[in-house]
Coordinates of all heavy atoms in Angstrom, one line a residue:
N728 N -2.8 6.6 -46.5 CA -2.8 5.1 -46.4 C -1.6 4.6 -47.1 O -1.5 4.6 -48.3 CB -4.1 4.6 -47.1 CG -4.3 3.1 -46.9 OD1 -3.3 2.4 -46.8 ND2 -5.5 2.7 -46.9
P729 N -0.6 4.1 -46.4 CA 0.7 3.6 -47.0 C 0.5 2.4 -47.9 O 1.3 2.1 -48.8 CB 1.6 3.4 -45.8 CG 0.7 3.2 -44.7 CD -0.5 4.1 -44.9
Q730 N -0.6 1.6 -47.6 CA -0.8 0.4 -48.3 C -1.3 0.7 -49.7 O -0.9 0.0 -50.7 CB -1.9 -0.5 -47.6 CG -1.4 -1.3 -46.5 CD -1.0 -0.5 -45.3 OE1 -1.8 0.4 -44.9 NE2 0.1 -0.8 -44.6
T731 N -2.1 1.7 -49.9 CA -2.6 2.1 -51.2 C -1.9 3.3 -51.8 O -2.1 3.7 -52.9 CB -4.1 2.4 -51.1 OG1 -4.3 3.5 -50.3 CG2 -4.8 1.2 -50.6
N732 N -1.0 3.9 -51.0 CA -0.3 5.2 -51.4 C -1.4 6.2 -51.8 O -1.2 6.9 -52.8 CB 0.7 5.0 -52.5 CG 1.6 6.1 -52.7 OD1 2.0 6.8 -51.7 ND2 2.0 6.4 -53.9
D733 N -2.4 6.3 -51.0 CA -3.5 7.2 -51.3 C -4.0 7.8 -49.9 O -3.4 7.6 -48.9 CB -4.6 6.5 -52.0 CG -5.4 7.4 -53.0 OD1 -5.5 8.6 -52.7 OD2 -5.9 6.8 -54.0
F734 N -5.1 8.5 -50.0 CA -5.6 9.2 -48.8 C -7.1 8.9 -48.5 O -7.9 8.9 -49.4 CB -5.4 10.7 -49.0 CG -4.0 11.2 -49.2 CD1 -3.5 11.1 -50.5 CD2 -3.2 11.5 -48.2 CE1 -2.2 11.5 -50.7 CE2 -1.9 11.9 -48.4 CZ -1.4 11.9 -49.7
D735 N -7.3 8.5 -47.3 CA -8.7 8.2 -46.9 C -9.3 9.3 -46.1 O -8.6 10.0 -45.3 CB -8.7 6.9 -46.0 CG -8.1 5.7 -46.7 OD1 -8.3 5.6 -48.0 OD2 -7.4 4.9 -46.1
S736 N -10.6 9.5 -46.3 CA -11.3 10.6 -45.5 C -11.3 10.2 -44.1 O -11.6 9.0 -43.7 CB -12.7 10.8 -46.1 OG -13.3 11.9 -45.4
Y737 N -11.1 11.1 -43.2 CA -11.0 10.8 -41.7 C -11.9 11.9 -41.0 O -11.5 13.1 -41.0 CB -9.6 10.8 -41.2 CG -9.5 10.8 -39.7 CD1 -9.5 9.6 -39.0 CD2 -9.3 12.0 -39.0 CE1 -9.4 9.5 -37.6 CE2 -9.2 11.9 -37.6 CZ -9.2 10.7 -36.9 OH -9.1 10.7 -35.6
L738 N -12.9 11.5 -40.4 CA -13.8 12.5 -39.7 C -14.5 11.7 -38.6 O -15.5 11.1 -38.8 CB -14.7 13.2 -40.6 CG -15.3 14.5 -40.0 CD1 -14.2 15.5 -39.8 CD2 -16.4 15.1 -40.9
P739 N -14.0 11.7 -37.3 CA -14.6 11.0 -36.2 C -16.1 11.5 -36.0 O -16.4 12.7 -36.2 CB -13.8 11.3 -35.0 CG -12.5 11.8 -35.6 CD -12.8 12.4 -36.9
E740 N -16.9 10.6 -35.6 CA -18.3 10.9 -35.3 C -18.4 11.9 -34.2 O -17.8 11.7 -33.1 CB -19.1 9.7 -35.0 CG -20.6 9.9 -34.8 CD -21.4 8.7 -34.6 OE1 -20.8 7.6 -34.8 OE2 -22.6 8.8 -34.3
G741 N -19.1 13.0 -34.3 CA -19.1 14.0 -33.3 C -18.5 15.3 -33.7 O -18.7 16.3 -33.0
I742 N -17.8 15.3 -34.8 CA -17.3 16.6 -35.4 C -18.1 17.0 -36.6 O -18.4 16.1 -37.4 CB -15.8 16.4 -35.8 CG1 -14.9 16.3 -34.6 CG2 -15.3 17.6 -36.7 CD1 -13.4 16.3 -34.9
F743 N -18.4 18.2 -36.7 CA -19.2 18.7 -37.8 C -18.3 19.4 -38.9 O -17.3 20.0 -38.6 CB -20.3 19.7 -37.3 CG -21.2 19.1 -36.3 CD1 -21.0 19.4 -35.0 CD2 -22.2 18.2 -36.7 CE1 -21.9 18.8 -34.0 CE2 -23.0 17.6 -35.8 CZ -22.9 17.9 -34.4
R744 N -18.7 19.4 -40.1 CA -18.0 19.9 -41.2 C -18.4 21.3 -41.6 O -18.3 21.7 -42.8 CB -18.1 19.0 -42.5 CG -17.5 17.6 -42.3 CD -17.4 16.9 -43.6 NE -17.1 15.5 -43.5 CZ -16.6 14.8 -44.4 NH1 -16.4 15.3 -45.6 NH2 -16.4 13.5 -44.2
Y745 N -18.9 22.1 -40.7 CA -19.4 23.4 -41.0 C -18.3 24.4 -41.2 O -18.5 25.4 -41.9 CB -20.3 23.9 -39.9 CG -21.5 23.0 -39.6 CD1 -22.0 22.8 -38.3 CD2 -22.2 22.4 -40.7 CE1 -23.1 22.0 -38.1 CE2 -23.3 21.6 -40.4 CZ -23.8 21.4 -39.2 OH -24.9 20.6 -38.9
F746 N -17.1 24.2 -40.6 CA -16.0 25.1 -40.6 C -14.7 24.4 -41.0 O -14.5 23.3 -40.6 CB -15.9 25.8 -39.3 CG -17.1 26.6 -38.8 CD1 -18.0 26.0 -38.0 CD2 -17.3 27.9 -39.2 CE1 -19.1 26.7 -37.6 CE2 -18.4 28.6 -38.8 CZ -19.3 28.0 -38.0
P747 N -13.9 25.1 -41.8 CA -12.6 24.4 -42.2 C -11.7 24.1 -41.0 O -11.7 24.9 -40.0 CB -12.0 25.5 -43.1 CG -13.1 26.3 -43.6 CD -14.1 26.4 -42.5
F748 N -11.0 23.0 -41.1 CA -10.1 22.7 -40.1 C -8.7 23.4 -40.3 O -8.3 23.5 -41.4 CB -9.8 21.1 -40.0 CG -11.1 20.4 -39.7 CD1 -11.8 19.8 -40.7 CD2 -11.5 20.2 -38.4 CE1 -13.0 19.1 -40.3 CE2 -12.6 19.5 -38.0 CZ -13.4 18.9 -39.0
T749 N -8.1 23.8 -39.2 CA -6.9 24.6 -39.3 C -5.7 23.9 -38.6 O -4.6 24.1 -39.1 CB -7.1 26.0 -38.7 OG1 -7.6 25.8 -37.3 CG2 -8.0 26.8 -39.5
V750 N -5.9 23.2 -37.6 CA -4.8 22.6 -36.8 C -5.3 21.3 -36.1 O -6.5 21.2 -35.7 CB -4.2 23.6 -35.8 CG1 -5.2 24.0 -34.8 CG2 -3.0 23.0 -35.2
M751 N -4.4 20.3 -35.9 CA -4.7 19.1 -35.2 C -3.6 18.8 -34.3 O -2.4 19.1 -34.6 CB -4.9 18.0 -36.3 CG -5.4 16.7 -35.8 SD -5.7 15.6 -37.3 CE -6.0 14.0 -36.4
F752 N -3.9 18.3 -33.1 CA -2.9 18.1 -32.1 C -3.3 16.9 -31.2 O -4.5 16.6 -30.9 CB -2.8 19.3 -31.2 CG -1.8 19.2 -30.1 CD1 -0.5 19.3 -30.3 CD2 -2.3 19.0 -28.7 CE1 0.4 19.1 -29.3 CE2 -1.4 18.9 -27.7 CZ 0.0 19.0 -28.0
E753 N -2.3 16.1 -30.7 CA -2.5 15.0 -29.8 C -1.8 15.3 -28.5 O -0.6 15.6 -28.5 CB -2.0 13.7 -30.4 CG -2.2 12.5 -29.6 CD -1.7 11.2 -30.2 OE1 -1.0 11.3 -31.2 OE2 -2.0 10.1 -29.7
D754 N -2.5 15.2 -27.4 CA -1.9 15.5 -26.1 C -1.2 14.3 -25.5 O -1.3 13.2 -26.1 CB -2.8 16.2 -25.2 CG -4.0 15.4 -24.7 OD1 -3.9 14.1 -24.7 OD2 -5.0 16.0 -24.3
S755 N -0.6 14.4 -24.3 CA 0.1 13.3 -23.7 C -0.8 12.2 -23.2 O -0.3 11.1 -22.8 CB 0.9 13.9 -22.5 OG 0.1 14.5 -21.6
H756 N -2.1 12.5 -23.2 CA -3.1 11.4 -22.8 C -3.8 10.8 -24.0 O -4.8 10.1 -23.9 CB -4.2 12.0 -21.9 CG -3.6 12.6 -20.6 ND1 -3.1 11.8 -19.6 CD2 -3.5 13.9 -20.2 CE1 -2.7 12.6 -18.6 NE2 -2.9 13.8 -18.9
N757 N -3.2 11.1 -25.2 CA -3.7 10.6 -26.5 C -5.1 11.2 -26.8 O -5.8 10.6 -27.7 CB -3.8 9.0 -26.5 CG -2.4 8.4 -26.3 OD1 -2.2 7.7 -25.3 ND2 -1.5 8.7 -27.2
N758 N -5.5 12.2 -26.2 CA -6.7 13.0 -26.6 C -6.3 13.8 -27.9 O -5.2 14.3 -28.0 CB -7.1 13.9 -25.5 CG -7.5 13.2 -24.3 OD1 -8.1 12.2 -24.2 ND2 -7.0 13.7 -23.1
M759 N -7.2 13.8 -28.8 CA -7.0 14.6 -30.0 C -7.8 15.9 -30.0 O -8.9 16.0 -29.5 CB -7.5 13.8 -31.2 CG -6.8 12.4 -31.4 SD -5.0 12.5 -31.7 CE -5.0 13.3 -33.3
W760 N -7.1 17.0 -30.5 CA -7.7 18.3 -30.5 C -7.8 18.8 -32.0 O -6.8 18.6 -32.7 CB -6.8 19.3 -29.7 CG -6.7 18.9 -28.2 CD1 -6.0 17.9 -27.7 CD2 -7.4 19.6 -27.2 NE1 -6.1 17.9 -26.3 CE2 -7.0 18.9 -26.0 CE3 -8.3 20.6 -27.1 CZ2 -7.4 19.3 -24.7 CZ3 -8.8 21.0 -25.8 CH2 -8.3 20.3 -24.7
Y761 N -8.9 19.4 -32.3 CA -9.1 19.8 -33.7 C -9.5 21.3 -33.7 O -10.6 21.7 -33.1 CB -10.2 19.0 -34.4 CG -10.0 17.5 -34.3 CD1 -10.4 16.8 -33.2 CD2 -9.4 16.9 -35.4 CE1 -10.2 15.4 -33.2 CE2 -9.2 15.5 -35.4 CZ -9.6 14.8 -34.3 OH -9.4 13.4 -34.2

């Protein structure tokens, strides 16, 4: 968050926190991959 120079938690509804995240990607259609 550049306004506060801090970090906000980000987790879209539909993703579970059971396993650690390793990589994030945005495709040419603006779909996000986790």
Side-chain angles (χ1 to χ4, degrees):
N728 186 331
Q730 279 71 44
T731 62
N732 194 33
D733 214 328
F734 301 85
D735 302 322
S736 186
Y737 169 85
L738 199 65
E740 185 176 353
I742 289 187
F743 301 102
R744 298 192 189 200
Y745 300 141
F746 300 93
F748 295 100
T749 54
V750 61
M751 190 171 167
F752 178 76
E753 182 179 12
D754 67 26
S755 58
H756 300 290
N757 299 118
N758 301 314
M759 301 298 294
W760 298 77
Y761 305 86

